[in-house]
């Protein structure tokens, strides 16, 4: 008993800032510093400003996708349709660009709307039909894959990204700062505001903690869940638009490598996989950590299978450390 009292007294003596730091977030930032140190051993340019900005640009694509994933995970749900939501967003944006000047203007919003349509199907299935999110999102992912294979005839898409898509992914509105990083910062700021300053954000945390209690308190839980999945689908598709602009064209497999990293980044940042707990700062740390880890594994020439194993181990480790709080449903 005295040990517990002593620990609480020591905690009270710490500055308020340190008492509010999430241990998972602090751990993630500590791992980032460790990876930077390890990376500098393999390459002397690893700590250069140019290289770090390049890593931030690469991280921004994952960051946009992980933002939507975080909102869904805060609900205690999961979105496994990310791979083909990303691909559909990029492919449909490029497809729209083939229809002249009007198509080029509408390419980006059209790609995002296609992703939102996938999210709408997921949200209706989870919120109104009460289908487990793991099942419905896997199903919509398979349907989206089939539709894109039919559309392309099984071959690589021939449509190219628009000038606007390439500019927002690779250009520099602010000298020295990639546009993709600015876009991620704006989306992140909007996410922080929505989650901390709006009724929607409070409802997301409430549903994640205990959905039945949230419903009994007057929250329209089905509408909140629906909106969350639509946002996730739209952000995944927007990530696909950015990737298509970065590569100047879309590819059928462009989203395959973003499912596990997006989940790992969210969980690594301290968001509970059971829902109801997590901060966007942690997701930012998780995204940067995953990106740096990918960079180091590339330098080490780690095969893709090895990377997937590492992501899985990371998720399991974070579940063991921070995700074993009983679910109150």
């Amino acid at each position: 008993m005295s040990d517990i009292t002593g620990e609480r007294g020591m905690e009270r003596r710490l500055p308020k800032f340190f008492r509010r730091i999430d241990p998972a977030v602090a751990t993630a930032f500590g791992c980032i510093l460790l990876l930077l140190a390890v990376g500098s051993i393999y390459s002397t340019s690893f700590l250069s400003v140019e290289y770090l900005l390049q890593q931030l640009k690469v991280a921004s694509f994952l960051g946009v996708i992980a933002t939507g994933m975080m909102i869904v995970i805060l609900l205690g749900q999961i979105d496994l349709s990310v791979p083909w939501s990303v691909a559909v967003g990029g492919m449909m944006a490029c497809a729209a660009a083939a229809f002249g000047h009007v198509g080029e203007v509408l390419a980006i919003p059209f790609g995002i709307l296609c992703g939102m349509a996938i999210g709408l199907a997921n949200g209706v299935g989870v919120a109104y039909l009460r289908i487990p999110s793991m099942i419905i999102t896997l199903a919509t992912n398979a349907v989206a894959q089939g539709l894109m294979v039919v559309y392309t005839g099984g071959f690589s898409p021939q449509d190219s990204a628009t000038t606007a898509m390439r500019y927002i992914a690779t250009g520099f509105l602010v000298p020295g700062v990639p546009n993709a990083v600015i876009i991620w910062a704006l989306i992140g700021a909007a996410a922080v505001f929505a989650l901390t300053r709006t009724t929607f954000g409070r409802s997301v945390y409430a549903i994640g903690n205990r959905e039945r209690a949230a419903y009994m308190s007057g929250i329209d839980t089905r509408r909140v869940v629906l909106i969350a999945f639509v946002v996730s689908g739209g952000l995944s598709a927007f990530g696909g638009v950015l990737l298509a602009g970065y590569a100047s064209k879309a590819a059928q497999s462009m989203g395959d490598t973003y499912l596990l990293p997006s989940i790992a980044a969210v969980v690594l940042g301290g968001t509970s996989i059971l829902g109801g707990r997590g901060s966007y700062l942690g997701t930012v740390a998780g995204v940067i950590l995953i990106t740096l880890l990918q960079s180091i594994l590339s330098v080490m020439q780690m095969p893709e299978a090895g990377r997937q194993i590492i992501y899985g181990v990371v998720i399991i480790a974070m579940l063991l450390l921070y995700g074993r709080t009983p679910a109150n449903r």
Side-chain angles (χ1 to χ4, degrees):
M1 183 70 180
S2 59
D3 292 340
I4 297 176
T5 304
E7 290 176 1
R8 289 178 178 174
M10 183 176 295
E11 182 179 337
R12 282 194 294 268
R13 287 194 296 270
L14 289 172
K16 186 177 181 181
F17 173 77
F18 291 103
R19 284 181 297 180
R20 295 177 60 182
I21 293 178
D22 188 329
V25 177
T27 301
F29 277 109
C31 290
I32 290 173
L33 296 177
L34 178 62
L35 285 179
L36 289 174
V38 172
S40 64
I41 297 175
Y42 282 92
S43 174
T44 55
S45 63
F46 201 84
L47 296 180
S48 66
V49 175
E50 293 79 7
Y51 186 82
L52 293 177
L53 281 175
Q54 175 64 23
Q55 292 305 303
L56 270 180
K57 182 166 72 172
V58 173
S60 63
F61 306 138
L62 176 59
V64 170
I65 298 169
T67 301
M69 181 66 78
M70 176 191 176
I71 296 174
V72 170
I73 289 179
L74 282 174
L75 291 169
Q77 308 290 349
I78 196 74
D79 186 356
L80 301 181
S81 65
V82 162
W84 280 92
S85 295
V86 171
V88 166
M91 292 171 68
M92 289 295 95
C94 292
F99 290 90
H101 179 69
V102 175
E104 290 187 4
V105 172
L106 298 178
I108 295 176
F110 180 66
I112 295 173
L113 283 174
C114 289
M116 293 175 68
I118 295 175
L120 179 64
N122 291 333
V124 169
V126 175
Y128 293 90
L129 303 181
R130 309 304 293 178
I131 302 174
S133 58
M134 182 178 294
I135 303 301
I136 186 64
T137 56
L138 271 178
T140 54
N141 189 68
V143 170
Q145 179 180 8
L147 290 174
M148 290 300 98
V149 170
V150 170
Y151 168 71
T152 60
F155 300 98
S156 298
Q158 299 300 311
D159 302 313
S160 299
T162 66
T163 302
M165 291 168 63
R166 289 193 290 268
Y167 177 71
I168 64 173
T170 63
F172 294 87
L173 179 63
V174 178
V177 182
N179 286 343
V181 176
I182 296 176
I183 289 173
W184 180 26
L186 292 174
I187 290 176
V192 170
F193 178 81
L195 290 173
T196 60
R197 302 295 182 183
T198 66
T199 302
F200 170 77
R202 290 189 289 270
S203 299
V204 167
Y205 281 100
I207 294 171
N209 280 308
R210 182 174 290 183
E211 183 176 359
R212 184 174 301 176
Y215 176 79
M216 295 298 292
S217 66
I219 296 174
D220 189 345
T221 57
R222 293 187 296 184
R223 182 172 64 87
V224 173
V225 171
L226 178 65
I227 292 174
F229 275 98
V230 170
V231 170
S232 179
L235 288 176
S236 292
F238 187 41
V241 171
L242 292 174
L243 286 168
Y246 183 68
S248 295
K249 65 180 298 183
Q252 292 184 5
S253 60
M254 62 191 298
D256 291 350
T257 58
Y258 282 89
L259 177 58
L260 268 181
S262 64
I263 298 174
V266 173
V267 175
L268 193 60
T271 299
S272 172
I273 200 73
L274 301 175
R277 188 178 75 248
S279 68
Y280 193 76
L281 179 61
T283 297
V284 171
V287 168
I288 295 174
L289 179 55
I290 289 294
T291 303
L292 290 176
L293 182 61
Q294 288 176 331
S295 179
I296 291 177
L297 293 178
S298 296
V299 172
M300 297 172 62
Q301 299 182 344
M302 174 74 70
E304 182 61 29
R307 301 184 195 187
Q308 297 299 318
I309 292 172
I310 291 175
Y311 298 145
V313 170
V314 165
I315 294 173
I316 293 172
M318 293 306 293
L319 283 174
L320 292 175
L321 288 173
Y322 303 110
R324 293 183 293 171
T325 304
N328 297 319
R329 301 276 171 200

